[in-house]
Amino acid sequence: MALIDTHLHLDAAEFDGDREAVIARAGAAGVTRLVLPAVLPANFDAVRDLARRLPGSVHAYGIHPLYVGRASETDIATLEARLADGDAAAVGEIGLDGYEAEPDPARQEWFFNEQLRLAKRFDLPVILHVRRAQDRVLKYLRRHGSHRGIAHAFNGSPQQARTFIDQGFKLGFGGAMTFSGSTRIRALAASLPLESIVLESDGPDIRPAWAQDVPNEPANVARFAQELAALRGITVEEVARATTANACEALGLAA
């Protein structure tokens, strides 16, 4: 069983003490391919270098909505130059966040708009941050004709989920799905078309129910596959085949 972790911040400081062990545990669990999105130009090199070391893994360049307060408008030119290199699988992590008060929505939207413009120019999928901003994100996707990528850590309504799917996006599920109290997320995971779902850790964040006091890591994706299989009443092998194929389709990866 081979699985893809479609969202992992492997360069995060939480992994500095045992990054090699984290990678080894992922491989032993069958999580053999990793997608490493950036959050600021300051970590573009780190995600690229990590992805190059890991066969089958890829990286994405982007400016995260919660970090646009640290970014300058000239960073869009930096991103454009990196995308022109042709080695990124996607533009991400980009999007909007309606949960935190800062950075302000207008600044988030300016950076999101500019990054969607670049994704269209370079014909790249996008890895989306959509926390409490699903409808606003959809507005910009329609405006730019964006029809490929992943809405990471999806936590919207069934109607919003269907709209993202109709727009051409896959939806990411992970640690939040493991809590019995996460009824909406678990219902979505159980009922959405299987061909619309991908698995992710979002490591070191969105820790699963069984490991709240340690950083989330890619090996947990194997247990997320088991959780998804149980919710849907299918085999974990079916989940692995489908979610891997979905990730490859969403990000243009080799099967």
Side-chain angles (χ1 to χ4, degrees):
M1 182 177 69
L3 292 159
I4 298 177
D5 182 349
T6 61
H7 203 103
L8 170 65
H9 298 288
L10 187 59
D11 61 301
E14 288 89 338
F15 295 128
D16 285 350
D18 65 344
R19 189 169 286 108
E20 296 305 317
V22 166
I23 294 167
R25 287 194 293 270
V31 185
T32 57
R33 302 169 72 182
L34 311 173
V35 179
L36 312 180
V39 298
L40 274 173
N43 78 325
F44 285 0
D45 286 346
V47 298
R48 179 200 62 200
D49 294 347
L50 283 167
R52 286 177 175 175
R53 287 179 42 212
L54 304 169
S57 297
V58 296
H59 66 283
Y61 295 131
I63 301 171
H64 191 293
L66 292 182
Y67 291 88
V68 299
R70 304 186 196 177
S72 70
E73 286 76 4
T74 59
D75 286 334
I76 293 297
T78 301
L79 173 61
E80 182 175 12
R82 287 301 186 103
L83 296 175
D85 289 342
D87 63 348
V91 179
E93 176 179 357
I94 68 173
L96 301 172
D97 190 293
Y99 181 74
E100 300 286 351
E102 296 291 341
D104 71 85
R107 186 167 181 82
Q108 289 188 37
E109 290 184 7
W110 186 88
F111 276 90
F112 186 37
N113 186 67
E114 291 299 306
Q115 291 180 98
L116 286 177
R117 179 182 60 80
L118 291 177
K120 184 174 184 179
R121 175 185 169 187
F122 290 101
D123 191 26
L124 286 169
V126 292
I127 298 173
L128 297 168
H129 180 102
V130 300
R131 186 168 61 164
R132 296 193 183 178
Q134 289 87 357
D135 292 337
R136 288 193 296 133
V137 167
L138 283 163
K139 178 185 75 173
Y140 281 96
L141 297 180
R142 295 189 189 103
R143 179 180 297 176
H144 287 273
S146 301
H147 296 290
R148 188 160 54 102
I150 295 170
H152 137 72
F154 191 80
N155 186 21
S157 69
Q159 181 180 9
Q160 289 167 332
R162 287 190 294 270
T163 306
F164 273 97
I165 293 166
D166 290 344
Q167 187 70 19
F169 283 77
K170 309 299 184 187
L171 308 181
F173 288 85
M177 178 180 60
T178 67
F179 292 88
S180 60
S182 298
T183 54
R184 180 167 66 178
I185 294 174
R186 288 168 69 85
L188 288 171
S191 62
L192 290 175
L194 185 57
E195 60 268 22
S196 69
I197 293 175
V198 296
L199 294 173
E200 60 175 45
S201 68
D202 195 28
D205 299 318
I206 311 187
R207 299 172 181 182
W210 62 81
Q212 282 288 282
D213 56 346
V214 294
N216 193 6
E217 61 178 86
N220 288 326
V221 170
R223 289 186 65 177
F224 300 161
Q226 295 170 358
E227 187 78 20
L228 183 60
L231 287 170
R232 300 183 70 92
I234 61 178
T235 67
V236 70
E237 289 78 15
E238 289 176 276
V239 166
R241 283 194 298 270
T243 57
T244 295
N246 298 342
C248 291
E249 178 185 352
L251 300 178
L253 308 180

